[in-house]
Amino acid sequence: MEIMLLVTVLSILFLIVVVKQNDFASPSFLFALPLTISIFICVLYKDKWDFECELKTFFLITIGIFLFFCGDQIGRKTFKKKMEYNKLVTCDMSVTMTRTVLIILFSLISIFLVYKEVSTSVSEAGIVFSLFQTSTKGLSAYSVSTVVSMTMNIMSIISTFGIAILMNNITYKCVKWKDWLFIIPIVSYLIIVLMQGQRGDLINFFVTTIFVSFCMNYKKNGGSAKKNVKVATRFVKYILIILVIFYALRLTISKSGQESLSFFDIISGYVGAQIDLLNRLVRQNNISYSLFGYESFHDLYSFFEKIGIMRNLPTLTFKYRAYNGLGCNVYTFFRRPYVDFGLVGSWFISLLCGIVWGHFYYKYVHVRNGNHRFMFYLMVYAYFINKVVMAFFDDYITLLVSANTAIKLVLFVLINKFMYCKIKIRGRKKTRL
């Protein structure tokens, strides 16, 4: 059954590549590829982990992936505009010097705010500790303040703008010297992430960077299926570099006990173990909630609890098995919908998610002409697409239904307005800062 699972998902992935004509940025491909790699690793380690795929697990994963692909296709059909790959992205994304300086100042202030809060939380270690040593990883009582949390959200979005500005202007050879100043807020955000000890945010940053770069090349090549393969192969080496960085960070922001693990033990545990954990959960088959969609929309329920609409919400602690010292308590995209809605319900959620992501991609990103509005939609999409890519790890897709997502969307609009809006002065011509 384990080999059949791998062969089936490989077949679905091949079908997606053929139907999508090598569109490696499509939601269904980004959803299926990491899950396929995760299954491959799990099968590779099946003897070591005692992995025996349940029939229900087989149907949960394979039909779930296929229905996400079907939803992607439905989302594409809901937008009937003819594809226009030949119209390139040629807009200049540069920001005026005044606003760039203000963004840099905000970035430096953000580093100070986060460092002050982190250093206070680990004061017993001493303020003279280096940036990496003041990581908050492992501090059970640590939680950021509202001000710092909002600052981190703003910085993550500003870094996305910086990535898009540099990638766009470099790709289309309109880069100016002041554009390179956006490296400062980008690096500032990375420093904040490392201080917080959040490798997940670091992965999200790399996913966003690769996705924006790939889309730029995809547009520049006019959607050529043959050229897309060449572009995709170039990105493989960047992914390998990211994995090496991820492994190296075990020395600074990982859980205790991981320092001595090999590269393959670390990567296999984080990428492949989730399939085995999902299989064990399905085998137990004894978890349910009285609240509708409690696991899938947990963040929304937590928000309601905080503002007093709901009180005393149920909690659930999953028991998990350690893989060579790796504490794993995540179960792929399928766990939350399966727990909330059962097998058929999880398939419906997969289909619905595919429709939503497919519609947004084909309407706002895939066929957009080269203008600033396209770039804005691309940045928003690139910022959230990591939730689809990380489907092999946990269900971050349904967790997007939250107050935090709404706040980030508002921040995207406000930051975009700040960077590019024109100021009207009565009695004078329109000018830009």
Side-chain angles (χ1 to χ4, degrees), residues 95-160:
V95 179
T96 60
M97 191 62 188
T98 302
R99 301 186 192 196
T100 302
V101 170
L102 291 175
I103 290 171
I104 291 173
L105 289 175
F106 180 82
S107 302
L108 298 177
I109 293 172
S110 299
I111 292 177
F112 173 75
L113 290 175
V114 175
Y115 181 78
K116 184 178 179 181
E117 189 158 306
V118 170
S119 60
T120 301
S121 299
V122 292
S123 58
E124 67 275 9
I127 192 69
V128 296
F129 261 29
S130 68
L131 220 62
F132 298 121
Q133 289 169 313
T134 55
S135 165
T136 60
K137 198 71 173 180
L139 296 176
S140 58
Y142 176 79
S143 62
V144 297
S145 65
T146 303
V147 173
V148 171
S149 177
M150 185 62 68
T151 300
M152 290 165 58
N153 283 339
I154 294 173
M155 282 302 303
S156 67
I157 295 172
I158 288 177
S159 69
T160 303

Side-chain angles (χ1 to χ4, degrees), residues 183-361:
I183 291 177
I184 297 176
I186 292 173
V187 173
S188 298
Y189 175 65
L190 291 176
I191 291 173
I192 289 173
V193 168
L194 291 174
M195 282 196 293
Q196 292 291 312
Q198 299 296 332
R199 278 189 294 187
D201 290 339
L202 193 63
I203 292 173
N204 295 344
F205 171 84
F206 285 124
V207 170
T208 298
T209 303
I210 291 174
F211 183 83
V212 170
S213 181
F214 183 84
C215 283
M216 295 298 175
N217 284 275
Y218 187 80
K219 284 281 185 179
K220 187 177 181 180
N221 294 332
S224 170
K226 185 177 181 179
K227 290 182 178 179
N228 287 341
V229 175
K230 294 182 179 179
V231 173
T233 53
R234 291 205 303 264
F235 282 98
V236 173
K237 61 182 179 182
Y238 297 122
I239 295 174
L240 293 176
I241 293 173
I242 292 170
L243 292 176
V244 172
I245 294 173
F246 184 85
Y247 173 69
L249 288 176
R250 81 196 190 284
L251 300 175
T252 58
I253 59 177
S254 63
K255 298 180 179 68
S256 60
Q258 294 185 10
E259 296 83 358
S260 59
L261 295 179
S262 69
F263 175 82
F264 291 104
D265 283 336
I266 289 283
I267 300 304
S268 64
Y270 274 104
V271 179
Q274 293 76 20
I275 300 297
D276 186 24
L277 289 167
L278 176 67
N279 187 60
R280 293 170 185 272
L281 180 71
V282 171
R283 184 181 300 161
Q284 293 175 2
N285 199 30
N286 59 357
I287 300 174
S288 62
Y289 288 106
S290 58
L291 285 175
F292 176 82
Y294 173 73
E295 270 291 284
S296 301
F297 310 113
H298 177 74
D299 286 1
L300 192 61
Y301 276 115
S302 296
F303 173 73
F304 289 153
E305 185 178 30
K306 288 179 181 178
I307 63 177
I309 295 179
M310 291 184 173
R311 298 185 182 279
N312 300 322
L313 290 178
T315 58
L316 176 66
T317 301
F318 285 103
K319 294 181 179 180
Y320 59 86
R321 158 186 182 182
Y323 288 84
N324 299 322
L326 295 172
C328 298
N329 57 353
V330 284
Y331 301 73
T332 77
F333 161 81
F334 299 104
R335 185 262 285 183
R336 297 179 191 271
Y338 174 73
V339 169
D340 286 327
F341 310 111
L343 189 62
V344 176
S346 67
W347 291 339
F348 177 77
I349 294 296
S350 296
L351 178 67
L352 184 61
C353 289
I355 292 173
V356 172
W357 283 95
H359 177 78
F360 190 95
Y361 175 68

Side-chain angles (χ1 to χ4, degrees), residues 16 86 147 164 182 307 330 339 362 377 382:
I16 292 172
N86 59 322
V147 173
F182 269 92
I307 63 177
V330 284
V339 169
Y362 287 104
Y377 288 134

